[in-house]
Amino acid sequence: MPGLGSVRALAFDVFGTVVDWRSGVARDAAAILGARGLDLDWGAFADRWRALYQPSLERVRSGERPWTRLDDLHRESLLQVLEEFGARSLSEAEIEDLNRAWHRLDPWPDAVEGLGRLKRRYVIATLSNGNVSLLVDMAKRAGLPWDAVLGAEVARAYKPLPESYLTTARLLDCRPEECLMVAAHHHDLVAARSCGFRTAYVHRPREFGPAQKDDLPAEHGHDLVVADFLELADALGA
């Protein structure tokens, strides 16, 4: 691909880009809370939990609180969401089980095949805000063939702080321009590009459900804009 010949490693956002977080969280909430007799809008439950994600990360990024792994931030947010939805009587074991829904997310249909093709030609690694144990559990369950599990916990910096991107490149022994950041979120790609990464936008039109609205990819100047990982592999000759 013209202009991308120096790329040696692909760094992937995970939530929403590789896996379908909304359906997985809604599914597990329905199973665990439904067993308690609750009948909620499970998509709305997942959306509300996810809506607390960036605010909780920002308190760490800003220095308001010390480094805290995502599993623990998710649990704090979950307790708030359970209170808001009137689910107040869960046991500690049930809360822990529901919090681990993020470890059990399903990949998008193209993800495993596409990653397998890309792995044959490139180093493929996570560059996620997820903690390492979460990402490893997810990969084992879903068959995600990562060469390395990197990102925020390893760098002690949540995206979009530059340290998260630059540490990933350094640990892969790559210059930033030798790394292609792959994500379904423009803000992630813009931050990676500001660190010298090349960027590939993958369109995930149902990440946030059927009412999702998207930015226009052309407005952000990404190196590649693709529909899925199979098209990405085609574009990169993998």
Side-chain angles (χ1 to χ4, degrees):
M1 184 76 186
L4 295 177
S6 64
V7 168
R8 297 196 293 118
L10 275 54
F12 288 80
D13 172 65
V14 175
F15 298 116
T17 301
V18 180
V19 296
D20 177 3
W21 61 264
R22 188 177 192 268
S23 295
V25 169
R27 174 196 63 217
D28 280 17
I32 294 167
L33 300 179
R36 282 296 198 113
L38 292 166
D39 184 15
L40 305 175
D41 182 334
W42 304 115
F45 184 93
D47 291 338
R48 178 57 183 150
W49 195 355
R50 182 66 171 178
L52 298 175
Y53 171 75
Q54 285 296 341
S56 67
L57 297 184
E58 183 55 30
R59 287 190 285 276
V60 178
R61 285 191 293 249
S62 68
E64 179 183 330
R65 63 181 299 178
W67 172 260
T68 308
R69 66 178 188 157
L70 186 60
D71 267 343
D72 297 326
L73 296 176
H74 271 159
R75 190 181 191 282
E76 293 172 6
S77 297
L78 173 60
L79 295 177
Q80 178 178 333
V81 176
L82 290 171
E83 180 70 22
E84 291 175 3
F85 278 78
R88 301 182 180 89
S89 60
L90 269 67
S91 68
E92 284 298 312
E94 287 170 320
I95 291 170
E96 176 62 18
D97 189 22
L98 182 50
N99 197 46
R100 291 180 70 84
W102 298 92
H103 294 230
R104 299 187 290 261
L105 302 178
D106 294 331
W108 294 111
D110 58 278
V112 174
E113 180 183 352
L115 288 173
R117 288 175 55 188
L118 292 161
K119 181 183 173 78
R120 291 195 290 267
R121 181 164 181 174
Y122 299 95
V123 171
I124 61 169
T126 67
L127 206 176
S128 171
N129 284 330
N131 47 281
V132 171
S133 64
L134 183 161
L135 296 168
V136 168
D137 286 348
M138 181 193 296
K140 293 285 283 185
R141 178 182 178 277
L144 304 171
W146 304 120
D147 291 310
V149 174
L150 302 173
E153 186 176 29
V154 178
R156 285 294 195 269
Y158 281 118
K159 296 186 296 181
L161 291 177
E163 294 91 332
S164 62
Y165 304 98
L166 295 174
T167 299
T168 298
R170 178 175 57 81
L171 291 175
L172 294 176
D173 198 22
C174 290
R175 299 188 304 274
E177 63 270 22
E178 294 176 319
C179 297
L180 179 70
M181 183 72 202
V182 182
H185 313 113
H186 298 299
H187 66 275
D188 197 355
L189 295 171
V190 169
R193 188 171 65 224
S194 73
C195 294
F197 279 51
R198 310 304 294 270
T199 58
Y201 173 78
V202 181
H203 188 47
R204 297 298 189 193
R206 296 189 64 81
E207 178 188 353
F208 295 95
Q212 178 171 323
K213 296 181 180 179
D214 297 294
D215 294 338
L216 295 175
E219 294 180 359
H220 298 274
H222 305 310
D223 294 289
L224 289 171
V225 175
V226 296
D228 56 30
F229 287 178
L230 301 179
E231 187 174 324
L232 178 63
D234 289 341
L236 293 173

